[in-house]
Amino acid sequence: MVSFRLLKLVLLLFFTVLCGLSCMCQNESTVRNYIEKYRHIALKHEKEFGIPASITMAQGILESGAGTSSLTKSSNNHFGIKALGAWRGRVYLAWDDETSKSRFRCYDSAEESFRDHALLLSRSKTYSELFKISVYDYRGWAHGLKKAGYATAPQYAQALIGLIDHYKLYTINGGAKLRPGKRVIITRYVDVATPVLEEQDVLDDEVVTEEEEAVVDAILRYVVDINDIHCTVIQPGETLYSIARKYDISTAELLKYNELASERMVKEGDIIFLDRKKKSFSGSRDYYVAKGGESLHAVSQLFGIQLRGLAKLNGVSEYILLKKGERIKLK
């Protein structure tokens, strides 16, 4: 049987050739290097504060783009923590979910950011219930963080779980891959640091969970160039706000570039352009053959063409729904 990862890669390459797109997928080595660089800090904080190392690493990967986001590079802020309340340190201004740039905490080092994250969770009453959950129960912690309001993205917990499953972050503290919906029960310890979980709680490492499948799919399509315009694909747990923060672009600009009336119109898997689309397609294809039911806006996003120009080129309304087999001119 063809492996899941190979199948995903084959489908991605097929789609790339078919649509004439130039894909620049984020190299997974970036994430793995990030894990190797900071896992010892996460494990140290697990022992000191009781926060699962797997959760710390997954949040760091998600919030900082594995250390590649503009916010992280400029401020050493790996967890998107804002400069609110009694913060007296330096601040970095970046777009978030506000009408003006938000104030984020600046740190002298990544280690300082990781420690501030640990202090935030361990000292706040908001997250106190989490510390009743086993450090090996990363699923319980992920859903607990979402419930406590750490992030507003609907799929935030699933994104954390998917990252933990895919990168085997549960092994950092000697844990195991967990079944959905099961409570972690530790029956005994092999040694002081290595637990033995009940079989009903544990999955084989090679089993691909739904959360992992979603994350792997997003990783394979993480960053692309379409029609020579830089863009990204919304990952599980991401929102238009988080993309704006990552690339230091206002949400208003993202809405304009993508010809959207509201941030509520975007969903996981959507293409988001980081600059203005072009008036026509510069690739080798001249036509797009509709599958049926898609909007002209969806085609404009697929090929990086301004909606108004695409409608004018084809002599149709911007709001038309395409019929199966209908040919749309791209140039």
Side-chain angles (χ1 to χ4, degrees):
M1 182 178 292
V2 179
S3 73
F4 171 79
R5 291 178 180 81
L6 179 59
L7 179 61
K8 285 287 183 183
L9 183 57
V10 170
L11 289 175
L12 177 71
L13 292 174
F14 174 77
F15 180 81
T16 302
V17 174
L18 181 67
C19 295
L21 307 180
S22 173
C23 285
M24 300 190 304
C25 301
Q26 183 189 21
N27 194 331
E28 282 203 24
S29 65
T30 301
V31 181
R32 298 193 184 280
N33 289 340
Y34 183 87
I35 294 166
E36 286 305 308
K37 188 173 184 179
Y38 298 117
R39 59 185 293 160
H40 72 284
I41 299 176
L43 187 58
K44 175 185 175 184
H45 288 172
E46 177 180 302
K47 294 175 180 177
E48 184 176 353
F49 298 101
I51 303 164
S54 56
I55 287 291
T56 296
M57 290 307 307
Q59 285 193 284
I61 293 167
L62 189 60
E63 296 285 348
S64 76
T68 65
S69 74
S70 297
L71 173 63
T72 302
K73 288 180 177 179
S74 301
S75 66
N76 279 316
N77 191 329
H78 286 249
F79 299 92
I81 300 176
K82 291 185 177 180
L84 304 175
W87 178 254
R88 294 293 179 267
R90 292 179 296 113
V91 300
Y92 177 78
L93 299 180
W95 293 107
D96 190 38
D97 55 354
E98 311 292 339
T99 55
S100 60
K101 286 190 174 183
S102 296
R103 294 161 54 86
F104 290 89
R105 297 183 180 187
C106 283
Y107 304 99
D108 292 331
S109 65
E111 289 81 358
E112 190 178 316
S113 175
F114 272 74
R115 186 166 187 82
D116 198 36
H117 167 261
L119 292 172
L120 173 68
L121 294 186
S122 61
R123 292 180 177 179
S124 173
K125 291 182 179 180
T126 303
Y127 306 108
S128 59
E129 290 297 311
L130 291 173
F131 292 87
K132 298 177 182 178
I133 304 172
S134 169
V135 292
Y136 301 103
D137 188 357
Y138 60 86
R139 285 181 167 273
W141 268 82
H143 287 290
L145 280 168
K146 176 65 181 73
K147 184 178 179 181
Y150 189 95
T152 58
Q155 301 300 313
Y156 188 76
Q158 288 80 359
L160 294 179
I161 293 166
L163 287 169
I164 292 168
D165 285 345
H166 180 59
Y167 291 106
K168 296 181 171 57
L169 299 178
Y170 48 78
T171 63
I172 294 175
N173 67 355
K177 194 170 193 174
L178 301 179
R179 295 182 187 278
K182 294 291 185 180
R183 280 183 62 248
V184 168
I185 300 174
I186 300 173
T187 55
R188 61 187 174 84
Y189 283 85
V190 174
D191 52 47
V192 175
T194 308
V196 177
L197 280 63
E198 285 195 354
E199 285 189 17
Q200 65 173 359
D201 302 328
V202 177
L203 284 172
D204 187 281
D205 278 351
E206 298 307 312
V207 174
V208 179
T209 60
E210 288 185 9
E211 296 93 344
E212 182 179 359
E213 181 176 352
V215 164
V216 171
D217 184 64
I219 289 168
L220 290 174
R221 298 177 297 144
Y222 186 77
V223 178
V224 295
D225 273 345
I226 297 177
N227 205 16
D228 296 322
I229 311 157
H230 198 45
C231 58
T232 188
V233 177
I234 296 184
Q235 299 183 81
E238 279 194 324
T239 65
L240 203 64
Y241 302 141
S242 64
I243 289 174
R245 185 176 72 198
K246 182 182 296 183
Y247 295 100
D248 199 19
I249 301 173
S250 72
T251 53
E253 286 178 303
L254 288 180
L255 290 171
K256 181 174 67 176
Y257 295 156
N258 293 276
E259 300 172 290
L260 297 167
S262 168
E263 62 271 15
R264 291 189 292 273
M265 297 175 68
V266 303
K267 63 185 184 302
E268 177 187 318
D270 281 354
I271 296 167
I272 298 296
F273 286 92
L274 306 176
D275 206 343
R276 191 183 300 275
K277 292 184 289 184
K278 296 183 178 179
K279 294 182 179 179
S280 63
F281 186 56
S282 60
S284 59
R285 294 186 63 175
D286 295 322
Y287 293 91
Y288 170 75
V289 180
K291 297 178 178 62
E294 65 260 61
S295 67
L296 197 66
H297 178 266
V299 178
S300 77
Q301 291 293 100
L302 188 60
F303 293 96
I305 307 170
Q306 293 175 17
L307 178 57
R308 180 178 296 180
L310 188 62
K312 184 177 180 180
L313 180 64
N314 288 275
V316 297
S317 166
E318 296 178 19
Y319 308 102
I320 190 175
L321 286 179
L322 304 176
K323 297 177 182 178
K324 185 176 182 180
E326 190 171 353
R327 287 160 65 92
I328 297 298
K329 296 177 186 177
L330 302 176
K331 58 178 72 170

